[in-house]
Amino acid sequence: MSDVLILGYGPAGVSASLYALRAGLDVQLVGKDSGALGKAHLIQNYYGLEKPLTGEELLQVGKKQALDLGAKIAEDEVTDLMFNGSEFVATGLNGEYHGKVCIMATGAARKKQPLPGMAEMEGHGVSYCAVCDAFFYRQKNVAVMGSGEYALHETMELLNVVNSVTLLTNGVPLTANFPENVKVVDRKLKGLTGEGSFKGVVFDDDSTAEFDGLFVALGSANATDLALKAGAAFDQGKLVLDEDLQTTIPGLYAAGDCTGGILQVSVAVGEGARAAMAAIKYLRENR
Ligand SMILES: Cc1cc2nc3c(=O)[nH]c(=O)nc-3n(C[C@H](O)[C@H](O)[C@H](O)COP(=O)(O)OP(=O)(O)OC[C@H]3O[C@@H](n4cnc5c(N)ncnc54)[C@H](O)[C@@H]3O)c2cc1C
């Protein structure tokens, strides 16, 4: 088990790792790709750059810095996070990662409400967390919206409890292998049915299909999804964080674009440092 488990190796995650490593802690970083930074054409407004770097170049410099100080870096997509009473366990496609504390630095959450009315139906038939809500749909027929590994993870969680799962890909090609007992519908979606609570979906040809519940699992799990699974509190849809960027679960922090606000490298680096320093203090006091 590592002392500090960091999800995401963008500026926030790597910055956090540098503080933890220099405090003599054992650090595990897990990231799935180059995140927002990898998409930045040229970074010109970050302190100390002799010449502008591409986002990808800056990312590689950061990862090397962490590696040189002794970080373990895994390339993996995390689909689940839990706290088992003594450690945080992140489940990835390739294995499990353990930490005494965990810093979520998974970048900005992509918009996960692609259909009108979806936000209003959250908690009324629309869910973003299978492990949290599957129980409410025992023996019922539910749909999962998504097409990749994260949707597969949510589907497998649901199959233990519900009667049937239909996968709604909304026209997006499948990137994971779903079991044969999952019906895959690849038609485009136009909307939801139900007044205030979810009843079903409307396809682009105006035909409809009814389900007891809809689980949204688009793209990959972000900090909000993972915090939900770990049991952290939310207030009006926002993750509750204290001044140390700690969630309501002691030892679980968030940093960088995933906390919202100004989405810039300098802010992500600063938040990574803040979360790491708080985590170091927490570990020293709770060892
Ligand atoms: C096109 C573009 C241009 C930009 N230009 C600038 C600029 O000029 N100046 C500037 O300061 N900022 C710029 N930004 C913003 C900047 O890139 C971000 O603010 C910064 O990268 C945020 O860092 P982060 O570590 O919070 O998140 P990211 O850089 O997004 O890193 C997130 C990390 O989390 C990982 N991750 C996410 N989900 C999972 C999962 N489920 N499992 C495992 N790993 C996961 C990703 O693989 C990645 O490693 C730009 C952004 C974009 C998109």
Side-chain angles (χ1 to χ4, degrees), residues 8-12 32-33 36-37 45 76 78 105-107 221 256-257 263-265:
Y9 48 49
K32 68 178 178 66
D33 57 21
L37 187 58
N45 57 355
D76 201 353
V78 173
T106 52
D257 280 8
L263 308 185
Q264 287 285 284
V265 173

Side-chain angles (χ1 to χ4, degrees), residues 7-14 30-46 59 76-79 105-108 220-223 226 255-259 262-269:
L7 308 181
Y9 48 49
V14 166
V30 188
K32 68 178 178 66
D33 57 21
S34 44
L37 187 58
K39 298 191 182 77
H41 175 57
L42 218 52
I43 302 287
Q44 212 161 22
N45 57 355
Y46 184 58
L59 185 82
D76 201 353
E77 179 180 330
V78 173
T79 54
T106 52
S220 54
N222 58 42
L226 297 173
D257 280 8
C258 67
T259 68
I262 301 168
L263 308 185
Q264 287 285 284
V265 173
S266 53
V267 177
V269 166

Side-chain angles (χ1 to χ4, degrees), residues 7-285:
L7 308 181
Y9 48 49
V14 166
S15 166
S17 78
L18 301 177
Y19 282 81
L21 289 160
R22 283 167 46 85
L25 298 172
D26 183 57
V27 174
Q28 172 74 63
L29 282 154
V30 188
K32 68 178 178 66
D33 57 21
S34 44
L37 187 58
K39 298 191 182 77
H41 175 57
L42 218 52
I43 302 287
Q44 212 161 22
N45 57 355
Y46 184 58
Y47 174 80
L49 298 182
E50 200 177 351
K51 61 177 180 55
L53 295 181
T54 65
E56 190 60 41
E57 284 169 338
L58 188 57
L59 185 82
Q60 294 310 329
V61 173
K63 277 170 79 176
K64 181 168 183 313
Q65 228 179 328
L67 274 174
D68 288 350
L69 282 172
K72 290 174 279 179
I73 301 188
E75 221 168 276
D76 201 353
E77 179 180 330
V78 173
T79 54
D80 207 349
L81 178 67
M82 62 168 289
F83 180 63
N84 66 12
S86 58
E87 59 173 14
F88 291 91
V89 183
T91 307
L93 304 180
N94 305 328
E96 281 187 353
Y97 306 90
H98 301 247
K100 292 175 190 159
V101 295
C102 178
I103 299 174
M104 300 180 293
T106 52
R110 260 182 269 144
K111 201 162 174 269
K112 290 202 171 180
Q113 289 155 2
L115 298 174
M118 209 169 226
E120 292 73 37
M121 290 188 192
E122 189 175 341
H124 302 280
V126 172
S127 169
Y128 289 79
C129 177
V131 72
C132 314
D133 295 336
F135 187 73
F136 301 124
Y137 297 92
R138 300 187 297 286
Q139 300 307 320
K140 299 206 167 170
N141 301 310
V142 302
V144 169
M145 192 174 185
S147 55
E149 294 290 350
Y150 182 46
L152 175 61
H153 174 272
E154 295 293 87
T155 297
M156 299 311 285
E157 192 78 45
L158 286 161
L159 282 174
N160 295 323
V161 183
V162 302
N163 181 49
S164 75
V165 175
T166 301
L167 186 76
L168 303 172
T169 71
N170 197 15
V172 177
L174 286 184
T175 52
N177 291 322
F178 287 80
E180 278 179 7
N181 57 346
V182 172
K183 183 177 172 197
V184 178
V185 178
D186 62 4
R187 290 155 65 191
K188 283 247 180 212
L189 294 161
K190 193 160 131 185
L192 305 179
T193 58
E195 290 289 315
S197 61
F198 175 78
K199 291 274 177 295
V201 296
V202 186
F203 295 104
D204 57 356
D205 62 357
D206 287 327
S207 63
T208 58
E210 291 200 350
F211 299 100
D212 296 307
L214 175 67
F215 286 79
V216 185
L218 299 169
S220 54
N222 58 42
T224 303
D225 301 317
L226 297 173
L228 252 177
K229 290 172 195 301
F234 286 76
D235 184 21
Q236 295 177 3
K238 272 197 76 180
L239 184 59
V240 177
L241 296 173
D242 68 12
E243 66 277 9
D244 286 334
L245 301 173
Q246 185 173 234
T247 67
T248 51
I249 300 179
L252 180 63
Y253 303 82
D257 280 8
C258 67
T259 68
I262 301 168
L263 308 185
Q264 287 285 284
V265 173
S266 53
V267 177
V269 166
E271 287 197 1
R274 248 171 89 194
M277 286 164 81
I280 293 163
K281 187 164 175 274
Y282 175 84
L283 279 172
R284 285 182 180 151
E285 287 169 357

